[in-house]
Amino acid sequence: MRDLYHEELDGLSDKLVEMTRLVRSAMARAVTALLDADLRLAEEVIGADEQVNKIDAEIEETVFDLMARQQPVAGDLRTLITALRMSGDLERMGDLAVHIAKTARRRHPESAVPPELQATVLEMGQIAERMIAKTGSVIAARDVRMGLELDEDDNAMDRLHRRLFDVLLSPKWTHGVEPAVDITLAGRYFERFADHAVHVAENVVYMVTGQRAKEIVDV
């Protein structure tokens, strides 16, 4: 029975890693759809979100079941609670990719991103992909050091987010209100995506060490 219990605990990590894979794919395709005005790709991202939601529901069900049957304590209880939190963050990251895809769909057949912002949005997408890839590695390997490093990527995303607003608020902006709203929202989606990735990594740090990330000076 205890072997089965620990197999179920390990299975939670496998499902979380699978969520990161699905979310990474969703974000990559959503960014392409946004930049290239690719309606087919946008629809694929929107439709595929159900897979992420399904795994999130499975993790929640497993966590509550194990807590009821096994009454875990100490490290095992910490693993279950953090798995639940991470699953919620990853589900919301999937939703943010969907929001980007819906922006692409709403503006089709035009691109929602003016030419002067394409490079910045592309870079934000690349950082988002890098962060979710690292998140998957952090979960799979329980890598505390890599988990702490995600803050640097988040800072890079914040800098690009500010760059978007520099362009939007410039007197040289000539694209009107609707594109400005689209870019503002898209920038917010990227910024929140990065924040959720950091939250996931911080939960891994807590699961492994029992300490909050800000409490750790050296690893």
Side-chain angles (χ1 to χ4, degrees):
M1 288 295 294
R2 299 300 295 178
D3 288 343
L4 178 60
Y5 167 55
H6 286 289
E7 284 179 12
E8 290 178 294
L9 283 177
D10 292 340
L12 289 173
S13 291
D14 293 340
K15 287 183 177 181
L16 289 167
V17 172
E18 176 64 8
M19 287 183 80
T20 67
R21 187 189 67 79
L22 292 171
V23 169
R24 181 182 183 183
S25 174
M27 177 54 78
R29 289 181 294 163
V31 172
T32 300
L34 185 69
L35 295 172
D36 296 347
D38 190 324
L39 181 60
R40 179 191 60 80
L41 210 52
E43 295 287 6
E44 286 182 5
V45 173
I46 295 166
D49 189 51
E50 184 57 35
Q51 295 175 270
V52 177
N53 295 339
K54 181 175 181 291
I55 298 176
D56 178 47
E58 290 173 353
I59 289 174
E60 182 177 306
E61 182 179 354
T62 299
V63 168
F64 289 154
D65 179 64
L66 289 174
M67 290 178 71
R69 287 191 293 109
Q70 302 291 342
Q71 298 182 337
V73 295
D76 287 350
L77 180 59
R78 198 162 64 234
T79 295
L80 291 175
I81 296 301
T82 53
L84 200 59
R85 290 174 177 169
M86 288 187 279
S87 178
D89 275 313
L90 291 168
E91 189 274 334
R92 286 187 284 276
M93 291 170 80
D95 288 343
L96 291 165
V98 167
H99 292 333
I100 292 171
K102 286 183 176 179
T103 300
R105 182 175 68 179
R106 185 169 60 251
R107 292 302 169 207
H108 184 268
E110 302 297 325
S111 172
V113 184
E116 62 265 42
L117 284 175
Q118 290 251 336
T120 300
V121 170
L122 176 61
E123 189 174 355
M124 292 179 86
Q126 290 169 341
I127 290 175
E129 280 191 66
R130 183 166 69 243
M131 291 186 76
I132 188 61
K134 284 184 180 180
T135 300
S137 297
V138 168
I139 294 170
R142 299 192 174 195
D143 190 329
V144 171
R145 185 180 297 277
M146 184 182 293
L148 295 173
E149 290 173 357
L150 260 74
D151 270 338
E152 297 176 13
D153 294 308
D154 187 41
N155 290 337
M157 183 71 85
D158 289 341
R159 286 193 293 272
L160 291 173
H161 192 210
R162 289 192 293 271
R163 186 188 300 173
L164 288 182
F165 280 97
D166 288 341
V167 175
L168 292 174
L169 296 174
S170 169
K172 296 180 180 179
W173 180 260
T174 60
H175 301 284
V177 174
E178 286 188 349
V181 171
D182 286 338
I183 293 298
T184 299
L185 289 174
R188 179 61 173 165
Y189 300 148
F190 283 120
E191 189 265 340
R192 289 301 300 151
F193 188 95
D195 286 346
H196 283 299
V198 171
H199 291 164
V200 173
E202 288 176 344
N203 273 294
V204 174
V205 171
Y206 177 66
M207 178 180 66
V208 173
T209 68
Q211 293 179 283
R212 300 297 179 186
K214 63 183 179 181
E215 298 172 344
I216 298 176
V217 178
D218 193 19
V219 293

